[in-house]
Amino acid sequence: MKVLMLGNEAVARGLFEAGASVVSSYPGTPSTEMTEFVSQYDEIYSEWAPNEKVAMEVAFGASFGGKRSFCAMKHVGLNVAADPLFTISYTGVNAGMVIGVADDPGMHSSQNEQDSRHYARAAKLPMLEPSNSDECLEMTKAAFELSERFDTPVLLRLCTRVSHSQSVVETGPRTEKPAVPYQKNGAKYIMMPGNAKRRHPVVEQRLLSLAAFAETSDLNRVEKGGRKLGIITSGTAYQYVKEVFGDTVSILKLGLVWPLPTKLICDFAASVDRLFVVEELDSFIEAHCRALGLTVSGKDIFPVVGEFSQNLIREKLGIPATPGRTLDADIPMRPPVMCAGCPHRGLFYALVRNKAAVIGDIGCYTLGAMPPLAAMDSTICMGASISGLHGFNKALGEAGEKRAVAVIGDSTFMHSGVTGLIDIAYNGSNSTVIILDNSITGMTGHQQNPTTGFNIKGDPAGKIDLEALCRAVGIRRVRVVDPYDLQQCIDAVKEELEAPEPSVIISRRPCALLKSVKPKPPLKVDPDKCKSCQSCMNIGCPAISFNAGKATVDATLCVGCGVCTQLCAFGAFETTEEATK
């Protein structure tokens, strides 16, 4: 049956049809929907893991036990999972194991533009790269076949445009895979030095066998279009090339992007007068071509930064650009901002009032860096805030301890923040850590996590007690505040910065966008009471603006949180019984 699917949805369908049994992932844009769609198939056990390393280890355990398995993550998540990745390459698999990784060229929702193809080369693992939803489905199934044929985990690389675009797929039935019998084999699966030394040559031979496979595999194909111009490409860039040139140029489309074929590329290069490599991010394929001694153009004309487009390819190859549609009206800029009613806003306001240096983490609360709050000083990666604060305070001593805090979300604290807190307790810096507990994984679209009490299907699950956990690792000062109560937050931050020992503040209020959170009636402004002081603008709520010199509230955005009423010295904000919708 033909169905229109997102790329991520098609990967999930491929997992279903391939007979996969276990999926474990940590959400991260643009990879999240792979696992969300998998959760709709009752034939597959699925879960959210605390982080990507755990997810990959769960998937390996399932493969080890004899069932086809999968884990998904975004490109920076693969860094977290790199430790097991490199060793699983040595052990190989029992049943098939596939690792989905989604890159984010253009950094739509990421802190860097990392190119995951380098992991395939470094870990000596095969990597497939689909260019549309149908290939997402088919290559997911092909990845399992490769995994079992060559005794290896297989990386399946997507990027934002493939993950989040739709195209037609041909669905089929699920093929149930009987469990591969588990057999104890310490020489293969126990990677102590003596065994690992014997496995390394196996890995090298496997890579040679895969390279030979790449020469004739239908995962790589030549589309002939004359000899004047030849383009080697893959993934999203292939789609752009086809939209620009159609069938007028010759194309070598690579679906197996590591290991790369040698003879196939050389033969293709010999068949054309000019050779280009069109690939987003790094010069991965181009470097391989140059190592083969080929004369090729690529990053000498195409950028290594940002996403490609059809017009960028036209521009770089001297073809007139196709103008897009434009609107007559000027559209106002919409800078990223925390939502109206976001519980993080009040806490950040308290930090600004205390003139605190804020070492932040990855999540919605990163938007606390934006004006007017501008409360953030640093953001590196998942879990780095707490350990970063510890180092900051060790460097500055009391001067740091009395003015700096770490800010981290509940999900990210579970992901990799708790180890930083253990470090603080164990190695003793007088640090103040603030956990922004909004009862969900917010930034990636409301996925459950170990603090919410529900699993991926929304069923009741084990729930971490954050206060008890913080005390258990050695923090004696643990307190909970309501971020809608500004004075309570201001006082708590001031007191904990002055406290002579490590402390944790849990700022607890559910995300305003959760279905379980019922908004209060929107507020309104009495223009006679508004003195135009603009104090209410200091929290950056998108529901508040100024019109004719007076504050006004957008009733369609306001959730009646009441934070603004605490900033107005003239009582201009009033409640209303008008329903929000």
Side-chain angles (χ1 to χ4, degrees), residues 94 210 236 243 395 400 402 408 460 554:
N94 189 22
L210 282 162
T236 312
E243 289 184 34
K402 289 190 177 300
I408 188 170
D554 185 336

Side-chain angles (χ1 to χ4, degrees), residues 289-303:
C289 293
R290 292 189 183 281
L292 297 175
L294 300 176
T295 301
V296 60
S297 289
K299 294 304 177 184
D300 52 334
I301 57 174
F302 289 102

Side-chain angles (χ1 to χ4, degrees), residues 49-128:
N51 63 36
E52 297 84 356
K53 178 177 182 290
V54 173
M56 186 174 292
E57 291 159 350
V58 169
F60 171 72
S63 164
F64 185 57
K67 293 287 190 176
R68 285 187 166 185
S69 65
F70 178 81
C71 57
M73 59 205 69
K74 65 183 298 180
H75 59 299
V76 290
L78 192 55
N79 300 335
V80 179
D83 197 1
L85 178 74
F86 279 71
T87 301
I88 294 172
S89 174
Y90 273 41
T91 65
V93 300
N94 189 22
M97 176 180 171
V98 178
I99 301 157
V101 56
D103 286 2
D104 188 17
M107 292 179 282
H108 296 280
S109 184
S110 305
Q111 62 269 45
N112 65 44
E113 282 190 311
Q114 178 182 311
D115 189 329
S116 295
R117 293 177 296 178
H118 296 295
Y119 268 109
R121 179 164 53 192
K124 304 178 187 294
L125 293 174
M127 173 178 272
L128 306 186

Side-chain angles (χ1 to χ4, degrees), residues 153-400:
V154 176
L155 288 156
L156 181 71
R157 182 202 190 212
L158 283 74
C159 71
T160 304
R161 296 300 173 186
V162 173
S163 289
H164 289 169
S165 63
Q166 291 183 315
S167 61
V168 175
V169 304
E170 184 80 36
T171 62
R174 176 176 170 87
T175 301
E176 291 293 346
K177 292 290 181 180
V180 180
Y182 165 73
Q183 293 181 334
K184 188 177 179 68
N185 186 350
K188 184 173 187 287
Y189 292 113
I190 302 174
M191 284 303 96
M192 61 178 65
N195 291 336
K197 289 176 182 176
R198 284 188 284 273
R199 290 296 299 178
H200 190 180
V202 175
V203 172
E204 298 298 336
Q205 180 56 52
R206 181 183 71 201
L207 205 55
L208 292 174
S209 299
L210 282 162
F213 170 79
E215 301 287 357
T216 57
S217 169
D218 57 8
L219 292 166
N220 303 323
R221 68 172 184 263
V222 173
E223 300 174 3
K224 293 185 177 179
R227 67 169 296 117
K228 186 175 180 181
L229 179 63
I231 297 175
I232 304 175
T233 186
S234 66
T236 312
Y238 165 78
Q239 298 294 350
Y240 296 151
V241 167
K242 289 296 288 186
E243 289 184 34
V244 171
F245 291 103
D247 298 327
T248 63
V249 301
S250 291
I251 297 172
L252 172 54
K253 180 188 181 299
L254 297 172
L256 180 57
V257 293
W258 189 257
L260 289 164
T262 297
K263 185 176 184 300
L264 180 63
I265 288 177
C266 289
D267 289 347
F268 179 76
S271 72
V272 297
D273 296 335
R274 296 185 66 194
L275 181 64
F276 286 86
V277 172
V278 180
E279 57 186 332
E280 288 183 319
L281 301 179
D282 297 338
S283 57
F284 189 84
I285 300 171
E286 181 186 346
H288 181 75
C289 293
R290 292 189 183 281
L292 297 175
L294 300 176
T295 301
V296 60
S297 289
K299 294 304 177 184
D300 52 334
I301 57 174
F302 289 102
V304 295
V305 175
E307 285 191 295
F308 285 10
S309 67
Q310 297 87 338
N311 273 346
L312 182 138
I313 293 172
R314 290 189 180 97
E315 174 195 344
K316 299 301 181 183
L317 294 179
I319 301 170
T322 301
R325 292 183 178 181
T326 59
L327 297 175
D328 295 332
D330 291 333
I331 298 177
M333 293 291 291
R334 298 182 63 188
V337 64
M338 287 185 287
C339 306
C342 175
H344 303 328
R345 184 174 285 106
L347 193 282
F348 277 119
Y349 179 80
L351 293 172
V352 173
R353 283 287 302 272
N354 279 283
K355 299 180 180 179
V358 179
I359 301 177
D361 224 289
I362 304 295
C364 297
Y365 43 89
T366 307
L367 296 172
M370 304 301 292
L373 291 166
M376 201 80 78
D377 289 72
S378 169
T379 300
I380 302 297
C381 65
M382 297 283 282
S385 59
I386 301 178
S387 41
L389 174 68
H390 176 62
F392 185 81
N393 288 342
K394 283 296 182 185
L396 298 183
E398 189 173 326

Side-chain angles (χ1 to χ4, degrees), residues 530-548:
C530 178
K531 305 303 180 186
S532 305
C533 67
Q534 299 197 7
S535 294
C536 55
M537 301 298 285
N538 290 333
I539 55 171
C541 178
I544 305 173
S545 60
F546 260 69
N547 186 17

